[in-house]
Amino acid sequence: MPTPCRITFQHDRTITVPAGTLLLDAASQAGYELRTHCGGNGTCGKCQLIVNQQKRLACQTLVQSDLDVAIPPQSRPPQSHNPSHSPSRDRIASRPQFPDCGTVALALDIGTTMLAAESHDLTGSLPFQTASRPNPQRKFGDDVISRIQKIMQDETTLPEMQRLLVDAINDMIAELAEKMGVNLQNITHIVAAGNTVMQSLLFGIDPSPLGTSPFQPPVKDFPPRLGREMGLNISGMVRALPIFGGFVGGDVVAGMLAIQQTSRKRSEAQFPDHATLFLDIGTNGEIVLAHQGKLVAAATAAGPAFEGAKIECGTQAGPGAIECVNIESGKITVSTIGNRPAVGICGSGLIDAAAALLELGILQPNGRFADGKNHFELVSQSESGLGEAIVLTQRDVRELQLATGAIRAGITLLLREYGLVPEDIGTFYVSGGFGQSIRLASAQRIGLLPSIPLERFVFCGNTSLAGARLVLLNPDNADVARQLVERSQHCDLALLPRFQEEFAASLRFAGQPTLDKPFPLG
């Protein structure tokens, strides 16, 4: 029988686990969420703990004796909370029983990183409410490929991932019911949108076919299911949007549904002969091209750099994350979320930093530092919130090049397949919360977005949630979504003859210098 070992976390919480327990699992058992961008493979280095005054990776350390463990702030996700009981159970147990008050339904965005929900009283007597949560599946890795690999390695991981997702959604359901002052029984149904993997995991469908060539989705349409059969605290059905194919999921269908009317009013009126391009920037860069009645969807694996993963001092957007990098009097300055001391750099700050360093000639178009060094200090040790300098390394730049190159190559190839160039784009829609946070000048400077007139770009926020809302409030829009899928074509970019050549060429930072005119980084 394994020897029991006592672990004291943060000097105030002690648990006992059998010898041989992974320290990462012990931390989770104690209620502490750690950053595991690589899914516990030991490659991202973000779950570093101080174990008996020595640095150790939680995902690579087995407990063999009693331990004292300190958790550095940078090893926990932004806005992590102290360990507590499940919020959903607490709310369900303690919330007063409100009188019945109409029919309430939920629109749900199942993001790889974040979950977002809206509650709508279909009688129109109550204002809608919102709730959001980090996706708890992050413990299996920041990107969908890591999560698929975990499922392929261990089939018991699929029900665990589904349970984590359902528990988080139930927590949001309870919060929204409380905010609206209604009983849980009033939450009648849900319309969900997410990428192909996230929707599959919600419905308990194995996404493993997407883990091996030819990368086919397990299903293209998701039959409605009773919420209680899935473990959700609602009496009615759960519906999900159909998918385009491959990694281009229901969130993109929702996005196209959300921008359809806007596209007609804007692009067809102002640029009747031009194309419309839709881009959702994330670990998968999903692209949809609409031109002359054709609709073509594709995905490109950008990787998790935009989420701060695989970046030396990377972090997700949260208090203290560097979100803007500016040029002031020829020098680099930074701004953080909440004006807190810097604890790391998030995706928008990473793009800004590269753009500013390119502008000043500190970084070369090939991605190498001009002075031959292997890093650039953004924040000094004395000014950092971590007691150590915040730096941008040569490896970080390489990760950004890979992410940027994947998206740029995808846009270029998809346009080329239909005889188009970037200048033919009448309206360029950029979707997602991350898309809203980046600065257009910086994205164009590094070549992430094409150098077309600024007025052609539209940053449209969370179109996944917006599309789910449209179906929720008007069921006829479900048919419109299916029609979008039926008339679309899915393009596998990796199978195109010039994919590798174009991707290699796109690794170079391709934006044009702007020192001869104002560069809006300040």
Side-chain angles (χ1 to χ4, degrees):
M1 183 174 180
T3 304
C5 301
R6 289 169 57 85
I7 309 176
T8 301
F9 290 92
Q10 303 291 79
H11 306 296
D12 65 358
R13 186 171 180 84
T14 300
I15 64 170
T16 301
V17 299
T21 300
L22 192 65
L23 185 55
L24 180 66
D25 294 335
S28 177
Q29 183 179 325
Y32 292 99
E33 184 183 0
L34 302 179
R35 296 173 66 191
T36 51
H37 296 306
C38 63
N41 292 322
T43 57
C44 73
K46 299 297 185 183
C47 64
Q48 189 176 89
L49 305 179
I50 310 301
V51 181
N52 293 350
Q53 299 184 340
Q54 294 184 326
K55 293 181 179 180
R56 294 284 186 270
L57 291 181
C59 70
Q60 301 296 306
T61 302
L62 296 178
V63 177
Q64 301 294 356
S65 60
D66 293 350
L67 303 174
D68 286 316
V69 178
I71 306 177
Q74 62 267 35
S75 296
R76 302 187 66 183
Q79 299 179 330
S80 270
H81 299 290
N82 291 328
S84 63
H85 297 294
S86 166
S88 59
R89 295 192 188 98
D90 291 344
R91 286 199 178 95
I92 293 169
S94 62
R95 184 170 33 78
Q97 292 298 299
F98 296 98
D100 289 351
C101 191
T103 301
V104 178
L106 268 60
L108 177 64
D109 169 36
I110 322 165
T112 308
T113 303
M114 293 294 297
L115 311 174
E118 289 181 351
S119 56
H120 293 267
D121 176 16
L122 301 183
T123 68
S125 59
L126 293 173
F128 79 93
Q129 299 290 340
T130 63
S132 64
R133 295 287 185 281
N135 189 328
Q137 297 172 343
R138 293 182 304 177
K139 64 182 287 187
F140 296 101
D142 271 356
D143 57 272
V144 294
I145 296 298
S146 296
R147 297 177 198 178
I148 292 172
Q149 289 173 343
K150 293 293 183 183
I151 292 170
M152 295 174 71
Q153 293 164 6
D154 182 357
E155 61 183 15
T156 65
T157 306
L158 175 59
E160 183 180 358
M161 284 192 187
Q162 184 190 30
R163 178 188 60 79
L164 286 170
L165 185 56
V166 165
D167 285 350
I169 295 171
N170 277 336
D171 189 31
M172 290 194 294
I173 290 172
E175 178 185 336
L176 291 168
E178 186 173 14
K179 284 181 174 179
M180 296 192 80
V182 300
N183 291 322
L184 286 175
Q185 289 82 356
N186 288 96
I187 310 291
T188 60
H189 63 282
I190 292 175
V191 173
N195 63 49
T196 308
V197 176
M198 288 300 102
Q199 288 191 182
S200 298
L201 292 176
L202 174 62
F203 280 75
I205 298 170
D206 187 353
S208 295
L210 284 166
T212 55
S213 182
F215 309 106
Q216 293 298 314
V219 295
K220 289 199 68 174
D221 211 345
F222 293 80
R225 286 189 62 188
L226 281 172
R228 66 172 68 95
E229 293 178 355
M230 304 164 69
L232 291 168
N233 295 326
I234 68 165
S235 58
M237 306 298 290
V238 179
R239 294 175 170 82
L241 272 78
I243 68 171
F244 279 122
F247 286 96
V248 190
D251 53 348
V252 181
V253 175
M256 291 304 297
L257 182 64
I259 71 169
Q260 191 177 59
Q261 289 184 340
T262 305
S263 175
R264 285 174 181 161
K265 290 178 181 177
R266 177 186 175 92
S267 185
E268 293 180 10
Q270 297 183 22
F271 307 100
D273 298 322
H274 285 62
T276 295
L277 199 77
F278 173 90
L279 172 65
D280 190 348
I281 305 175
T283 53
N284 278 318
E286 289 108 347
I287 311 163
V288 182
L289 172 66
H291 184 54
Q292 295 181 343
K294 296 178 181 178
L295 203 62
V296 190
T300 181
F306 295 132
E307 301 287 347
K310 294 187 178 181
I311 304 300
E312 180 75 19
C313 296
T315 185
Q316 293 172 357
I322 297 172
E323 61 174 344
C324 298
V325 178
N326 306 308
I327 300 175
E328 295 180 1
S329 302
K331 295 183 179 181
I332 295 293
T333 64
V334 306
S335 301
T336 66
I337 297 175
N339 293 319
R340 304 278 187 85
V343 298
I345 183 167
C346 64
S348 61
L350 181 65
I351 293 170
D352 265 7
L357 294 178
L358 282 166
E359 196 68 12
L360 294 175
I362 297 171
L363 196 63
Q364 300 178 86
N366 63 8
R368 294 190 177 277
F369 288 106
D371 58 9
K373 294 181 179 179
N374 62 2
H375 72 277
F376 179 87
E377 187 176 284
L378 294 169
V379 178
S380 67
Q381 179 180 357
S382 61
E383 296 176 328
S384 164
L386 299 177
E388 56 187 54
I390 308 295
V391 300
L392 184 73
T393 70
Q394 189 68 72
R395 178 183 173 186
D396 298 339
V397 175
R398 179 62 173 171
E399 291 293 336
L400 178 61
Q401 286 179 285
L402 291 171
T404 299
I407 290 177
R408 185 162 76 247
I411 293 171
T412 301
L413 287 169
L414 199 58
L415 289 172
R416 187 180 295 158
E417 280 294 293
Y418 292 88
L420 302 172
V421 293
E423 290 71 23
D424 293 321
I425 301 171
T427 307
F428 194 123
Y429 291 94
V430 183
S431 174
F434 174 69
Q436 278 190 305
S437 68
I438 64 175
R439 289 194 279 190
L440 186 53
S442 297
Q444 289 185 315
R445 181 65 182 88
I446 69 171
L448 173 63
L449 296 178
S451 296
I452 59 177
L454 302 186
E455 62 271 16
R456 297 191 185 186
F457 286 93
V458 178
F459 292 87
C460 42
N462 190 340
T463 55
S464 176
L465 188 61
R469 181 196 311 130
L470 286 172
V471 175
L472 184 81
L473 299 178
N474 183 357
D476 290 344
N477 282 324
D479 292 331
V480 178
R482 279 190 288 271
Q483 290 167 12
L484 283 171
V485 172
E486 288 170 0
R487 72 181 183 89
S488 71
Q489 176 185 347
H490 177 249
C491 177
D492 191 335
L493 295 172
L495 298 181
L496 297 180
R498 295 189 60 185
F499 174 77
Q500 292 298 335
E501 178 184 344
E502 189 62 43
F503 176 63
S506 297
L507 294 177
R508 187 177 179 86
F509 291 125
Q512 296 300 313
T514 58
L515 283 176
D516 59 333
K517 56 184 177 180
F519 186 58
L521 277 176

